[in-house]
Amino acid sequence: MDISSFPILSLIIFLPLVGAVVVAFIPRRNLGAIRATALAFALATWVVSLWLVLGFLPGREMVASAAGSFQYVQVADWIPLFGIQYKVGADGLSVAMVVLTTTLSWISILASFSPIKERVKEYMISFLVLEVGMLGVFLALDLFLFYIFWEVVLVPMYLIIGIWGGPNRIYATIKFVLYTLVGSLLMLVAILATAFTYQHATGSWVGAFDLERLAGAGFDGTFQVFAFAAFALAFAIKVPMFPFHTWLPDAHVEAPTAGSVILAGVLLKLGAYGFIRFAIPLFPHGAHVFAPLLIALSIIAIIYGAIVALVQPDLKKLVAYSSVSHMGFVTLGIFIFQAQGLQGAILQMVNHGLITGALFLLVGVIYERTHDRTIAKMGGLGAVTPVYSAALGFFVFASVGLPGLAGFVGEFLVFQGAFAFNPWVGVSVTFVMIFAAGYLLWMLQRVCFGQVSEFLAGIGHHLTDMRPTEILTLAPLGALTVVLGLYPALVLDLITGPVKAVLAAVDPAVAMSIGR
Amino acid sequence: MTWSDFTLIAPFAAAVAVAALVILADIVKPGNRHLALGVALAGLVGVGALILWTGQAPGTAFGGMYKVDNLTTFLDTIFVAIAAITCLFAPDYLEPRGLPVAEFAAILIFALGGAMLVAASADLIVLFVGLELMVIPGYLLAGYHKRDALSTEGAIKYFLLGSFSSAIFLFGLAYVWGLTGSTRIADVAARIGEIVAGQATLSPGLAMGLAFLTTGVAFKMAAVPFHYWTPDAYQGSPTPVTGYLSVGPKVGAFAVVLRVFAEALLPLRQEWVIVIFVLAALTMTLGNLVALTQDNVKRMLAYSSIAHTGYMLVGLAAYAAGVLQGLEGLLFYGAAYSFMNLGAFAVIAALQKRPGVSSRLETFAGLGRREPALGLLMVLFLLSLTGIPPTAGFFAKAYVILAAVQAGGWLTALAVIAVLNAAVAAFYYLRVIVYMYMREPTGEPTPIGHGALLRLGLAITAVMTVALGLFPGLILTSVSSAAQAIGVAVAIR
């Protein structure tokens, strides 16, 4: 069978939805079946998404359009009156994000088996619907369709934080939704304005929401500035960039462990992906106008996130602020419009998903046993739970950017790009590495080394080491961290095409200089 | 009078006949609600069929007083659907309170007749008669729970302000008649066109007429600052009545607006676009901001319905600025809003089946656990009201916003105001979800059985809310042909 004619992308997007429907019909009391079914569908989606990678082996690339080279494209008219289509397609960037999403999804579902005991059915349905939304965002090539998936992500996450979250969950979840909605609704206005401008220019609604057509349309300069601003606001809130980051620590602290994993691992990437896939190719002039501002905000985020992380008393908040800092590298890498910078940014998106996802899982492990996340109460875990401490150490070092592990390569490429862009920018962000090492290693020291703290001693024999399920959730992330650290070409080869396409949109001269 | 006169008014005549039949059924078998409801529902299905049949052959009747065009057909279909769905979910609420079902259905169907007459009027006098026939049953329904103080209070306020606004509206019509010498909508439009063409500024008489008409209509559709009757009337009325009042008379008021402003006064659109712009911005913003502070869901939905008036006015403003899509967006919004809002009220009515259950937020605490199906449906309707895809409410908002963006200029600002309002609205709609899923129920949950008709009503509203969101193409052709029936595509400035 010809692999490219099969609607594999639709299968990937809607397989979790089928899972959600199946779970809905399982009796409420049958927890085992509910959990197993949800996991089975998430695993199946993961397997299909790995199969997708086959299409991106060297030699299968197709002709690039201004927005990238898409494969497995599937088009169907949806609302013909406005030229709105169901159009999905994938390039290397989408594939990297899709595989990250499907991987973290099954890991999160598996990691929820033990902590989630209430309303398991609703939880699993929410999670599977969430996966549908995330995958849809990464694969949609029609702006209207993209917007719909973008908003679909919101509702299950709202429920996951609000129902299964911590004590202050309602405040956190409403803050999360309102922040995101304000940005995304303005983006909706911009999407509609873009489509109308295109319709006005061509006299027909055909293709007015089609990313591939719009990306080459070359909109009027003033329009680009406004439209880019609206898109950028939506994406900046999602990333989140300074000063729109304040929802993130609240959401992370209150979310259940798996919710945090997906939030940090995938949801933040939606914003960065939106910049690369939509905002920049559609409005390159607007991107140029706003780039200095966005670069400045990225640098602030990198430094600010690191400094604030240093003083956090709560483990989860520390990891949350480290996300702000790390995502600053991503947006910096994007907006310096350098090949290395953009490659590093995308690599960092994947790495941050893996490493921070793992760190949140590890925080969840300790929280499940102690019902506390205060760093000051920990201490000496190395003696009590050696496996756990080793795992925490491993991912802390990966996050710090130890060469040989994944975190290093992405940051290094961004530094390279930053130095080429402007040495002062390069120097200032490189210095932040010291803070990063500081807050993470200091945390590791306070949690794992020294005498066993009174608080932990009081927990006694309940403080068990990692269970096999927990090891199983972390093992794939650890393995990928090593593999991508030693052989980053696995991702870099995938994204060569998309990187070229994006840079071609903003600056043809730079794009020419990239070798294969 | 010719045969075609009778075929064209057949749906309207049938609606009045069905109302009379329901009363007859109640006289023949007093208190037999099955018979009365059966007659009402079967009759409404028949009226619906007649509407679609008449819609095949548009035309005018009775010397140009009455006309059937695609807009009439589209609006009539919404009106019949509203009446039928209200009849489906009302009995579960009315019966436990000892309120007669048959009279309710009869009054409701008389109101339906009025709304249909408005939609089919080609003459301002016919339009006014239709308007009164539509709203007077509304006053009766608002006070339907006559032993309930709040219901009576709401009804009196609704009646007084409604009567004033009708009088003001009629006064405006008198000015228009005085200046144009005709009550035929087409003649009025032509004559005003001539008057406007000859003058640089608006004559005082026309300005007065326009002001009175705007005020009258703004009362009827509950636009700020003419909305004060709404919260009390909505909160006091029996819940199914509130559901009906929040959609039926509102879409009816928009039918008046379309016939009067978009048709008769179209030549004056440069003047009223500013008025509509301001009304839309005020209505959305104030409705949403006040809704934020409500802890009674019915009252909250009353303010939210004010806000939805504002979104619909955005479409009207876009049309006034020369974008036909504005009219289409308004019509689509009307249809989507009818289903989602009725659905939300059907859920509230179901919850209040036992007399004495309040419509405060606490009633919703833990609903997701007590009644998972009802909770899920409420989530759907609330998400649709918020405008989250893939629901009807989302596409409706996108449609009016698209129209505003097309109109460009100041209307882009109106589009931005609309979406910021949607974000504000998310807060209070989501708060209901917070209560349903994130709070524990207060007191012992007592299971309530729900009637088959109520289930059917919920199913219809839910299916339409999802279907119009996922496949808006289902009605887009009808929407655009309805808009073209009166719409004049004016070149975009």
Side-chain angles (χ1 to χ4, degrees):
Chain A
M1 186 178 68
D2 183 13
I3 170 171
S4 59
S5 66
F6 182 72
I8 183 173
L9 298 183
S10 299
L11 180 69
I12 291 178
I13 296 173
F14 292 109
L15 201 54
L17 188 65
V18 176
V21 173
V22 172
V23 169
F25 282 103
I26 300 175
R28 186 165 298 276
R29 287 168 204 285
N30 199 345
L31 295 185
I34 291 172
R35 287 174 175 149
T37 312
L39 183 64
F41 273 93
L43 277 172
T45 315
W46 179 61
V47 170
V48 182
S49 74
L50 290 180
W51 183 34
L52 187 64
V53 180
L54 291 179
F56 288 86
L57 296 177
R60 290 191 64 101
E61 282 96 348
M62 295 184 180
V63 188
S65 69
S69 51
F70 297 104
Q71 301 183 45
Y72 302 113
V73 176
Q74 198 194 341
V75 191
D77 273 346
W78 182 18
I79 308 170
L81 192 62
F82 293 110
I84 296 171
Q85 297 169 319
Y86 173 82
K87 182 173 180 187
V88 289
D91 65 357
L93 173 62
S94 318
V95 169
M97 291 297 120
V98 164
V99 173
L100 176 70
T101 307
T102 54
T103 311
L104 285 175
S105 289
W106 75 256
I107 289 176
S108 300
I109 286 177
L110 183 61
S112 307
F113 278 16
S114 152
I116 303 295
K117 297 193 172 68
E118 290 280 307
R119 305 198 218 183
V120 177
K121 186 169 159 174
E122 286 92 338
Y123 181 87
M124 292 302 173
I125 293 175
S126 303
F127 236 96
L128 289 167
V129 173
L130 178 65
E131 193 179 355
V132 174
M134 298 185 298
L135 292 170
V137 169
F138 290 135
L139 293 173
L141 292 183
D142 179 282
L143 263 63
F144 200 80
L145 186 68
F146 156 72
Y147 182 80
I148 285 182
F149 282 124
W150 180 270
E151 292 286 61
V152 163
V153 169
L154 207 52
V155 180
M157 202 56 190
Y158 164 73
L159 295 175
I160 287 170
I161 300 177
I163 300 179
W164 295 276
N168 204 10
R169 59 188 188 273
I170 292 173
Y171 167 77
T173 196
I174 288 186
K175 193 170 175 183
F176 161 72
V177 169
L178 291 187
Y179 263 68
T180 317
L181 257 188
V182 169
S184 62
L185 284 165
L186 288 172
M187 177 168 77
L188 175 65
V189 176
I191 288 176
L192 296 174
T194 308
F196 166 65
T197 311
Y198 183 82
Q199 184 265 348
H200 195 52
T202 60
S204 137
W205 282 104
V206 175
F209 287 90
D210 187 334
L211 175 68
E212 284 186 287
R213 286 191 195 221
L214 294 171
F219 293 104
D220 164 70
T222 325
F223 176 76
Q224 285 204 22
V225 170
F226 280 105
F228 184 85
F231 272 71
L233 182 67
F235 299 145
I237 290 173
K238 204 79 168 185
V239 165
M241 293 178 76
F242 181 90
F244 307 111
H245 65 281
T246 57
W247 63 268
L248 183 78
D250 287 315
H252 267 312
V253 168
E254 301 303 329
T257 299
S260 284
V261 172
I262 290 294
L263 195 57
V266 186
L267 257 61
L268 307 190
K269 278 43 176 205
L270 297 180
Y273 177 84
F275 275 124
I276 301 173
R277 169 71 73 233
F278 294 97
I280 297 175
L282 285 175
F283 316 113
H285 172 69
H288 269 296
V289 171
F290 280 99
L293 175 69
L294 293 171
I295 290 172
L297 291 180
S298 304
I299 297 171
I300 295 175
I302 293 171
I303 300 173
Y304 171 86
I307 293 176
V308 176
L310 204 53
V311 297
Q312 291 308 314
D314 181 299
L315 271 175
K316 241 183 169 177
K317 253 191 166 153
L318 186 144
V319 183
Y321 275 107
S322 86
S323 286
V324 174
S325 184
H326 280 131
M327 290 307 288
F329 283 110
V330 173
T331 46
L332 176 67
I334 294 174
F335 283 100
I336 52 179
F337 300 139
Q338 293 274 339
Q340 288 94 342
L342 191 53
Q343 284 172 331
I346 298 172
L347 200 57
Q348 175 80 348
M349 282 160 75
V350 176
N351 296 340
H352 176 263
L354 300 173
I355 298 168
T356 309
L359 285 175
F360 276 119
L361 282 174
L362 286 163
V363 174
V365 168
I366 195 75
Y367 183 73
E368 208 189 330
R369 286 159 176 71
T370 62
H371 302 287
D372 207 314
R373 291 186 301 256
T374 316
I375 299 175
K377 289 187 182 174
M378 308 288 167
L381 267 181
V384 193
T385 56
V387 180
Y388 176 82
S389 304
L392 186 63
F394 175 82
F395 284 108
V396 158
F397 277 110
S399 186
V400 168
L402 187 74
L405 299 178
F408 171 71
V409 193
E411 282 179 11
F412 182 77
L413 283 170
V414 174
F415 290 149
Q416 239 187 342
F419 271 107
F421 170 74
N422 181 330
W424 289 107
V425 172
V427 169
S428 61
V429 296
T430 314
F431 261 108
V432 178
M433 293 307 289
I434 300 171
F435 284 110
Y439 64 79
L440 282 164
L441 294 179
W442 192 32
M443 180 270 280
L444 185 67
Q445 181 207 329
R446 285 182 292 168
V447 171
C448 293
F449 301 142
Q451 291 294 315
V452 177
S453 71
E454 269 179 43
F455 172 71
L456 291 180
I459 289 167
H461 66 277
H462 291 297
L463 190 61
T464 51
D465 209 339
M466 301 243 285
R467 287 188 294 265
T469 325
E470 290 164 347
I471 295 175
L472 186 60
T473 58
L474 283 164
L477 298 177
L480 280 170
T481 306
V482 174
V483 170
L484 288 182
L486 296 176
Y487 190 65
L490 211 56
V491 173
L492 290 177
D493 281 353
L494 266 181
I495 60 174
T496 315
V499 165
K500 260 190 201 171
V502 172
L503 291 176
V506 279
D507 193 347
V510 178
M512 296 296 284
S513 68
I514 312 171
R516 167 69 183 93
Chain B
M1 252 182 260
T2 61
W3 174 242
S4 78
D5 284 358
F6 288 105
T7 57
L8 283 173
I9 66 156
F12 169 66
V16 176
V18 170
L21 274 178
V22 173
I23 296 176
L24 263 181
D26 196 40
I27 292 171
V28 175
K29 296 250 179 189
N32 185 339
R33 59 188 174 84
H34 293 293
L35 180 68
L37 269 179
V39 171
L41 289 171
L44 287 174
V45 172
V47 172
L50 274 176
I51 289 168
L52 296 180
W53 176 68
T54 324
Q56 303 292 318
T60 56
F62 296 98
M65 304 257 278
Y66 186 99
K67 80 172 168 189
V68 172
D69 55 18
N70 287 331
L71 179 68
T72 316
T73 310
F74 183 81
L75 289 171
D76 281 359
T77 316
I78 300 183
F79 293 140
V80 167
I82 291 172
I85 293 167
T86 312
C87 279
L88 285 175
F89 76 84
D92 260 30
Y93 180 94
L94 298 176
E95 277 168 20
R97 287 167 176 73
L99 300 172
V101 173
E103 287 166 36
F104 176 87
I107 299 174
L108 189 70
I109 297 170
F110 273 122
L112 165 70
M116 289 171 67
L117 194 56
V118 170
S121 50
D123 186 287
L124 294 174
I125 300 294
V126 175
L127 181 123
F128 185 74
V129 171
L131 179 64
E132 288 301 280
L133 181 55
M134 174 176 81
V135 294
I136 291 174
Y139 308 146
L140 293 180
L141 288 176
Y144 203 62
H145 202 171
K146 59 189 173 201
R147 296 189 192 288
D148 184 275
L150 280 177
S151 179
T152 314
E153 182 196 335
I156 290 174
K157 283 186 181 167
Y158 186 30
F159 168 68
L160 286 177
L161 284 172
S163 312
F164 283 135
S165 65
S166 291
I168 291 169
F169 184 76
L170 191 58
F171 201 44
L173 285 188
Y175 268 97
V176 170
W177 172 76
L179 286 164
T180 60
S182 173
T183 57
R184 291 294 145 81
I185 288 176
D187 296 346
V188 170
R191 185 77 190 98
I192 290 184
E194 288 165 25
I195 296 174
V196 173
Q199 292 172 337
T201 53
L202 201 57
S203 73
L206 263 183
M208 291 288 274
L210 188 60
F212 282 124
L213 287 175
T214 313
T215 310
V217 141
F219 263 110
K220 299 289 182 210
M221 61 189 177
V224 175
F226 306 105
H227 65 285
Y228 288 100
W229 58 273
T230 322
D232 290 328
Y234 282 19
Q235 191 185 349
S237 302
T239 305
V241 175
T242 315
Y244 165 74
L245 288 182
S246 70
V247 292
K250 186 171 298 256
V251 181
F254 273 97
V256 173
V257 170
L258 293 180
R259 289 297 183 205
V260 174
F261 284 79
E263 236 179 337
L265 302 181
L266 189 69
L268 291 178
R269 65 189 174 82
Q270 300 284 8
E271 322 299 329
W272 54 263
V273 62
I274 307 155
V275 180
I276 301 293
F277 181 99
V278 175
L279 273 185
L282 278 181
T283 307
M284 288 187 284
T285 312
L286 199 98
N288 278 323
L289 288 182
V290 182
L292 284 178
T293 64
Q294 305 304 319
D295 58 1
N296 183 310
V297 177
K298 266 165 83 177
R299 204 171 173 87
M300 183 201 91
L301 284 179
Y303 282 105
S304 114
S305 85
I306 294 173
H308 284 281
T309 300
Y311 300 129
M312 287 189 249
L313 286 174
V314 173
L316 187 66
Y319 174 63
V323 179
L324 190 62
Q325 258 95 11
L327 211 50
E328 295 172 5
L330 166 63
L331 291 172
F332 189 93
Y333 207 112
Y337 170 75
S338 300
F339 288 113
M340 64 198 185
N341 218 40
L342 270 182
F345 274 104
V347 173
I348 303 176
L351 281 180
Q352 290 187 299
K353 186 172 183 184
R354 261 183 319 122
V357 176
S358 82
S359 54
R360 298 175 63 82
L361 268 171
E362 289 85 66
T363 307
F364 288 80
L367 183 67
R369 187 170 295 199
R370 281 186 286 143
E371 305 219 20
L374 219 48
L376 203 63
L377 286 173
M378 193 66 179
V379 169
L380 172 70
F381 298 130
L382 289 170
L383 290 180
S384 185
L385 286 166
T386 314
I388 304 272
T391 56
F394 162 68
F395 194 79
K397 276 210 179 66
Y399 213 146
V400 291
I401 290 167
L402 176 67
V405 168
Q406 283 193 43
W410 282 104
L411 286 182
T412 314
L414 198 58
V416 172
I417 296 176
V419 295
L420 291 180
N421 264 293
V424 172
F427 182 80
Y428 61 81
Y429 292 128
L430 292 182
R431 195 168 50 187
V432 182
I433 302 183
V434 166
Y435 270 84
M436 288 195 297
Y437 284 89
M438 304 169 197
R439 296 267 167 97
E440 293 308 314
T442 48
E444 273 301 295
T446 39
I448 355 172
H450 302 298
L453 290 182
L454 177 95
R455 286 164 196 270
L456 181 61
L458 283 170
I460 294 173
T461 46
V463 166
M464 290 306 287
T465 304
V466 175
L468 292 185
L470 278 180
F471 307 105
L474 289 173
I475 64 163
L476 281 184
T477 335
S478 326
V479 165
S480 69
S481 62
Q484 273 154 16
I486 59 164
V488 190
V490 193
I492 291 153
R493 290 171 293 176

